[in-house]
């Protein structure tokens, strides 16, 4: 009979709360960005039977709904809460993104980030001022993203939207690569692939090698910012963003 001391204990868990849109379908991709000791506690916003337009993005980015959803993920005591929706966090500009963070903190989150806020933080981390952008959205929604970036002094030098009004989670790696081939990123400091419902994990490293620039994606920046807010650093994950400063900050 083995002794209790012979059984190694699991690493002390670190919780991250996640508020996602009702149609979010990439839970597994988010887990791939997390180290072993981090647990993801997820809730979804109520279903809205609407196409992916500016109006839907504004409804998803309503601070009152995000505040209520944040309370749902606080029971396991996460160190940070992330609002994982790109369009819902940029649609009302910088002020709208700040209102979402304030709503999550007001609900009791010990720290709070949004996907669009995480994008701006990642751009600042890497010193990016000119950005090429890929989105799955219709033009009106893409235009809101470009306006949001401009508020922070980030110039969009190339953009391409897939024009989708629904089923974004069905976008494939091949669809993303076709979109990348549809733009000229030569004047950009980095490429951003928008929407947390677009799979990108396995594309980041090969695209960086091909383009010779950092590649940022919605799920990547969300998890990067959430882990930083939770006090976790030094993760070996794809892309220049996670590699940046990895040797300077020890893992928590």
């Amino acid at each position: 009979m083995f002794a209790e001391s012979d059984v190694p204990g699991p690493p002390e868990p670190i919780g991250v709360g996640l508020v996602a849109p009702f149609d979010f379908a990439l839970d597994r991709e988010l887990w791939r960005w997390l180290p072993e000791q981090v647990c993801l506690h997820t809730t979804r916003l109520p279903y809205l039977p609407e196409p992916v337009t500016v109006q839907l993005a504004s409804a998803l980015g309503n601070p009152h709904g995000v505040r209520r959803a944040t309370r749902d993920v606080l029971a396991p005591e996460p160190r940070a809460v992330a609002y994982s929706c790109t369009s819902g966090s940029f649609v009302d500009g910088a002020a709208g993104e700040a209102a979402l963070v304030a709503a999550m903190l007001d609900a009791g989150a010990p720290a709070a980030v949004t996907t669009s806020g995480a994008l701006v933080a990642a751009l600042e981390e890497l010193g990016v001022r000119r950005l090429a952008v890929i989105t799955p959205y219709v033009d009106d929604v893409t235009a809101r993203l470009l306006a949001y970036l401009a508020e922070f002094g980030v110039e969009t030098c190339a953009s391409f939207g897939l024009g989708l009004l629904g089923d974004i989670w069905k976008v494939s790696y091949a669809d993303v690569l076709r979109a990348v081939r549809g733009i000229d990123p030569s004047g950009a400091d980095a490429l951003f692939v928008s929407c947390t419902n677009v799979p990108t994990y396995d594309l980041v490293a090969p695209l960086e090698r091909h383009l010779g620039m950092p590649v940022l994606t919605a799920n990547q920046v969300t998890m990067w910012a959430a882990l930083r807010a939770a006090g976790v650093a030094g993760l070996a994950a794809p892309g220049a963003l996670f590699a940046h400063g990895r040797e300077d900050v020890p893992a928590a």
Side-chain angles (χ1 to χ4, degrees), residues 70-157:
T70 298
R71 295 193 185 106
D72 292 341
V73 296
L74 295 181
E77 301 180 352
R79 289 192 187 179
V81 177
Y83 172 58
S84 182
C85 179
T86 325
S87 62
S89 53
F90 68 61
V91 67
D92 292 320
E97 192 277 333
L100 289 170
V101 172
M104 289 188 283
L105 294 174
D106 182 65
V113 301
T114 74
T115 299
S116 296
L119 170 60
V120 170
L123 296 175
E124 292 175 350
E125 178 81 5
L126 296 175
V128 172
R129 308 309 300 169
R130 291 169 56 83
L131 191 64
V133 173
I134 299 293
T135 86
Y137 315 127
V138 295
D139 290 346
D140 287 350
V141 179
T142 297
R144 292 291 184 103
L145 171 57
L146 307 191
Y148 171 80
L149 290 168
E151 290 190 71
F152 296 92
V154 178
E155 177 187 352
T156 304
C157 56

Side-chain angles (χ1 to χ4, degrees), residues 1-10:
M1 187 66 178
F2 55 82
E4 183 176 337
S5 59
D6 296 330
V7 181

Side-chain angles (χ1 to χ4, degrees), residues 121-246:
L123 296 175
E124 292 175 350
E125 178 81 5
L126 296 175
V128 172
R129 308 309 300 169
R130 291 169 56 83
L131 191 64
V133 173
I134 299 293
T135 86
Y137 315 127
V138 295
D139 290 346
D140 287 350
V141 179
T142 297
R144 292 291 184 103
L145 171 57
L146 307 191
Y148 171 80
L149 290 168
E151 290 190 71
F152 296 92
V154 178
E155 177 187 352
T156 304
C157 56
S159 68
F160 185 95
L162 294 174
L164 300 178
L165 287 169
D167 291 341
I168 292 176
W169 59 273
K170 294 180 181 178
V171 170
S172 67
Y173 282 171
D175 294 327
V176 175
L177 293 176
R178 279 194 293 270
V180 172
R181 288 194 291 268
I183 64 170
D184 177 9
S186 57
D189 301 319
L191 170 73
F192 174 59
V193 182
S194 189
C195 192
T196 53
N197 238 351
V198 173
T200 55
Y201 185 90
D202 296 299
L203 296 179
V204 172
L207 278 176
E208 287 194 340
R209 290 193 296 269
H210 175 71
L211 297 172
M213 65 177 64
V215 172
L216 304 173
T217 76
N219 286 323
Q220 175 206 43
V221 299
T222 303
M223 291 296 93
W224 171 79
L227 291 171
R228 282 182 48 160
V232 181
L235 175 64
L241 178 61
F242 277 92
H244 190 267
R246 184 181 297 154

